[in-house]
């Protein structure tokens, strides 16, 4: 649980405000007060409260109406109503429409404190349940950054450096290169790992509604706005917001996003009061944003603000040594997901996949393997299972049609190991090299 939480006490009797403000205050509980409905509304719009204790009768408002408004403005908040014995029916109705509990006057202070603490525990449980799915993803996100190549090792190094900070990160690379995997790895290695990670592809935002989806809106703020609605900023509070394809965000919304990054405040559409948020921002794009800025399609100040720390992903063709590791990872994962068990891949099929240039990067590789598993007989992926453009790939050769020395060495080691049924000592003797040298080459070629 967080170290402290905020409680708002709403009552028109000054004596009750002073009493509860004094008695409920503690190191883990910050108590603020409001003496009317109008002030309470203004405070809830500006601040985030976990628990609200409100009299059911106020000079300028009804507690039941306030309850509905508070839940609209802050869905996680728990509301406790104070009522007299003559208003028990109203209190019961309040429970039915969403109040956590009610307290009757005259009340005991220990009873109030107990109910407030229990309401806070429910808030924590609600938030934990909402973030559970994201934390489950975190358990495997880092492990899905598959590869032992120098580029991947460098990316892991950058993730470990930037994750504990709160600076924005811009992840760049071609489509399918794994930008989402890097974003999840950053979140899971950060201090916000137990908090929600909200993911949104900006390319899927409707231009007319993009501002509302990001920031939320109030009832009646535009045609179709039939109720108050929170946006992604509210859902990501205390956690991480990952905006994929940020280059697709409409220009008119980019300035509003810049304001959030600089001031940590935003306004819902149709709302005058600003709200404060605590969000870690991650961005991704396959566009050249510097060029987009030059051509007037991207906000220059926003580009400089989100480009504080850049992680650039290589194309799969530039880290071919990772292909066997990726294949091994995906055929095991997909095989079990599809209920087919363990799979292997033939040497010739592996050679074809190593020779292919993978224009769709890791995403294409995964899709090819998913198709191949469906077609595979005896749980072995052969060339017959591969798409024609991959199966027809020649072995990787030089311009003169000669195999590279590395390729020749790799295949010669494979033949030696096959000939001696995997006995590495005999294979090393036949190849004229030491066992340690053979082990290094086996590791180098992912055999």
């Amino acid at each position: 649980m967080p170290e402290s939480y905020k409680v708002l006490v709403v009552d028109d009797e000054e004596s009750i405000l002073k009493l509860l403000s004094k008695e409920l205050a503690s190191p883990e509980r910050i108590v603020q007060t409001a003496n009317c409905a109008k002030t309470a509304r203004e405070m809830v719009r500006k601040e985030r409260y976990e628990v609200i204790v409100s009299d059911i009768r106020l000079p300028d408002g009804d507690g039941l109406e306030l309850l509905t408004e508070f839940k609209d403005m802050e869905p996680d908040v728990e509301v406790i109503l104070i009522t007299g014995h003559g208003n028990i029916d109203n209190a019961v109705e309040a429970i039915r429409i969403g109040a956590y509990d009610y307290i009757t006057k005259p009340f005991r202070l220990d009873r109030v404190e107990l109910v407030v603490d229990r309401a806070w525990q429910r808030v924590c449980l609600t938030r934990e349940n909402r973030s559970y799915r994201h934390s489950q993803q975190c358990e495997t996100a880092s492990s899905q950054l598959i590869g032992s190549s120098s580029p991947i090792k460098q990316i892991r190094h950058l993730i470990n450096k930037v994750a504990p900070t709160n600076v924005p990160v811009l992840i760049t690379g071609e489509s399918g290169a794994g930008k989402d995997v890097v974003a999840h790895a950053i979140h899971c290695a950060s201090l916000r790992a137990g908090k929600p990670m909200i993911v949104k592809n900006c390319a899927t935002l409707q231009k007319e509604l993009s501002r509302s989806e990001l920031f939320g809106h109030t009832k009646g703020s535009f045609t179709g706005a039939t109720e108050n609605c929170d946006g992604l900023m509210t859902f990501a509070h205390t956690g991480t917001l990952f905006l994929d394809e940020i280059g697709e965000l409409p220009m008119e919304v980019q300035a509003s996003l810049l304001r959030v990054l600089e001031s940590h405040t935003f306004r819902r559409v149709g709302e005058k009061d600003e709200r404060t948020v605590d969000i870690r921002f991650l961005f991704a794009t396959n566009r050249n944003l510097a060029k987009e800025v030059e051509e007037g399609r991207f906000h220059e100040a926003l580009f400089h603000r989100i480009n504080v720390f850049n992680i650039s992903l290589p194309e799969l063709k530039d880290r071919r040594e990772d292909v066997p590791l990726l294949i091994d990872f995906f055929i095991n994962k997909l095989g079990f997901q599809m209920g087919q068990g363990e799979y292997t891949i033939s040497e010739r099929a592996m050679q074809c996949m190593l020779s292919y240039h993978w224009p769709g990067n890791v995403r294409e590789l995964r899709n090819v393997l998913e198709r191949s598993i469906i077609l595979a007989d005896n749980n072995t992926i052969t060339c017959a299972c591969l798409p024609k453009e991959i199966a027809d790939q020649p072995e990787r050769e030089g311009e003169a049609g000669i195999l590279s020395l590395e390729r020749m060495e790799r295949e010669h080691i494979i033949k030696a190991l096959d000939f001696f049924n995997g006995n590495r000592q005999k294979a090393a003797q036949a190849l004229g090299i030491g066992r340690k040298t053979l082990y290094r080459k086996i590791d180098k070629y992912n055999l």
Side-chain angles (χ1 to χ4, degrees):
M1 289 185 182
E3 294 182 359
S4 63
Y5 64 97
K6 285 186 177 181
V7 178
L8 176 63
V9 180
V10 188
D11 202 297
D12 61 329
E13 294 185 37
E14 192 66 26
S15 59
I16 289 181
L17 292 181
K18 288 182 178 180
L19 178 65
L20 292 180
S21 179
K22 178 183 177 182
E23 296 299 329
L24 290 178
S26 68
E28 69 275 1
R29 197 185 298 120
I30 301 169
V31 182
Q32 297 179 352
T33 61
N35 60 8
C36 63
K38 179 182 178 182
T39 302
R41 289 189 187 97
E42 292 173 352
M43 293 178 71
V44 173
R45 288 191 185 102
K46 294 178 181 179
E47 295 284 342
R48 184 179 296 267
Y49 297 95
E50 280 72 33
V51 180
I52 297 176
V53 181
S54 174
D55 196 339
I56 204 166
R57 289 189 180 276
L58 295 167
D60 61 342
D62 177 81
L64 296 181
E65 293 178 0
L66 272 181
L67 165 64
T68 304
E69 290 182 40
F70 290 152
K71 296 294 280 187
D72 281 342
M73 288 188 280
E74 182 54 62
D76 288 350
V77 73
E78 293 295 347
V79 180
I80 301 164
L81 293 177
I82 301 174
T83 181
H85 282 293
N87 294 320
I88 295 297
D89 289 343
N90 284 346
V92 173
E93 173 64 13
I95 297 292
R96 189 187 70 79
I97 63 175
Y100 175 73
D101 205 343
Y102 66 90
I103 300 167
T104 57
K105 294 179 181 178
F107 50 75
R108 292 170 48 189
L109 288 172
D110 58 346
R111 159 71 176 162
V112 177
E113 189 168 11
L114 178 63
V115 174
V116 168
D117 276 340
R118 286 178 175 172
W120 163 232
Q121 290 170 13
R122 178 182 281 188
V123 171
C124 291
L125 183 61
T126 299
R127 291 177 177 175
E128 287 170 5
N129 287 340
R130 189 171 61 200
S131 65
Y132 177 75
R133 178 171 54 86
H134 303 287
S135 62
Q136 288 295 98
Q137 292 174 347
C138 283
E139 293 179 5
T140 58
S142 298
S143 66
Q144 290 184 358
L145 190 61
I146 305 299
S148 59
S149 62
S150 295
I152 290 299
K153 289 178 180 177
Q154 176 63 12
I155 288 169
R156 288 199 187 99
H157 171 72
L158 294 175
I159 289 172
N160 290 334
K161 286 290 186 181
V162 77
T165 73
N166 276 320
V167 301
V169 180
L170 178 61
I171 307 164
T172 56
E174 295 298 320
S175 179
K179 298 186 288 293
D180 57 332
V181 175
V182 171
H184 276 89
I186 292 172
H187 172 71
C188 296
S190 75
L191 300 177
R192 300 170 185 256
K195 302 295 183 179
M197 178 178 179
I198 306 300
V199 180
K200 187 64 182 180
N201 188 325
C202 294
T204 66
L205 290 171
Q206 296 182 47
K207 186 175 181 179
E208 300 78 11
L209 298 176
S210 56
R211 189 184 301 275
S212 169
E213 190 161 352
L214 284 177
F215 306 112
H217 63 260
T218 59
K219 182 177 179 180
S221 55
F222 56 86
T223 303
T226 57
E227 58 184 2
N228 291 335
C229 183
D230 283 326
L232 299 180
M233 297 293 168
T234 299
F235 298 138
H237 179 65
T238 72
T240 301
L241 179 57
F242 172 42
L243 295 177
D244 199 1
E245 302 301 344
I246 186 63
E248 304 289 341
L249 191 67
M251 281 287 286
E252 57 268 26
V253 184
Q254 292 178 20
S256 299
L257 177 59
L258 175 62
R259 180 177 178 80
V260 180
L261 286 163
E262 293 183 336
S263 68
H264 307 289
T265 62
F266 72 96
R267 292 190 186 97
R268 295 198 298 188
V269 177
E271 195 170 60
K272 294 180 180 179
D273 297 312
E274 291 188 337
R275 294 168 173 248
T276 301
V277 286
D278 173 22
I279 299 174
R280 168 69 176 284
F281 285 93
L282 305 177
F283 305 93
T285 183
N286 59 8
R287 292 189 181 189
N288 183 337
L289 290 187
K291 185 176 180 181
E292 295 290 301
V293 169
E294 289 179 7
E295 297 179 359
R297 292 193 294 268
F298 199 83
H299 198 295
E300 183 175 7
L302 178 61
F303 169 63
H304 292 305
R305 190 68 187 85
I306 70 176
N307 196 32
V308 175
F309 195 95
N310 176 246
I311 297 179
S312 179
L313 299 189
E315 296 181 63
L316 187 54
K317 66 181 182 182
D318 295 326
R319 56 181 186 105
R320 290 180 187 268
E321 60 266 46
D322 292 334
V323 170
L325 295 176
L326 287 163
I327 290 173
D328 183 62
F329 172 78
F330 282 127
I331 62 175
N332 281 302
K333 177 181 178 181
L334 294 170
F336 282 106
Q337 282 182 351
M338 298 167 69
Q340 304 296 318
E342 293 187 12
Y343 275 75
T344 59
I345 182 168
S346 71
E347 177 62 23
R348 176 58 186 149
M350 176 69 81
Q351 289 175 0
C352 289
M353 297 186 79
L354 285 170
S355 299
Y356 188 58
H357 60 293
W358 299 109
N361 293 295
V362 179
R363 182 183 295 127
E364 183 184 10
L365 175 65
R366 184 190 188 283
N367 292 343
V368 166
L369 289 171
E370 190 168 12
R371 172 187 186 273
S372 300
I373 286 172
I374 295 172
L375 296 175
D377 293 325
N378 301 319
N379 285 35
T380 300
I381 296 172
T382 64
C383 290
C385 306
L386 301 176
K388 188 174 187 299
E389 64 271 18
I390 298 178
D392 291 346
Q393 285 290 306
E395 294 183 1
R396 204 186 310 169
E397 301 177 358
E399 292 183 1
I402 301 173
L403 291 175
S404 67
L405 288 174
E406 282 195 351
R407 189 55 177 271
M408 290 177 66
E409 182 178 62
R410 182 179 189 276
E411 293 189 359
H412 200 54
I413 291 173
I414 289 172
K415 289 179 181 178
L417 289 168
D418 284 344
F419 183 81
F420 291 105
N421 296 317
N423 188 310
R424 297 184 178 188
Q425 182 173 356
K426 291 182 179 180
Q429 290 174 348
L431 292 167
I433 57 178
R435 276 189 301 170
K436 290 184 178 180
T437 301
L438 177 60
Y439 293 155
R440 285 198 299 271
K441 293 184 180 296
I442 288 172
D443 184 60
K444 174 183 177 181
Y445 297 125
N446 297 304
L447 301 180

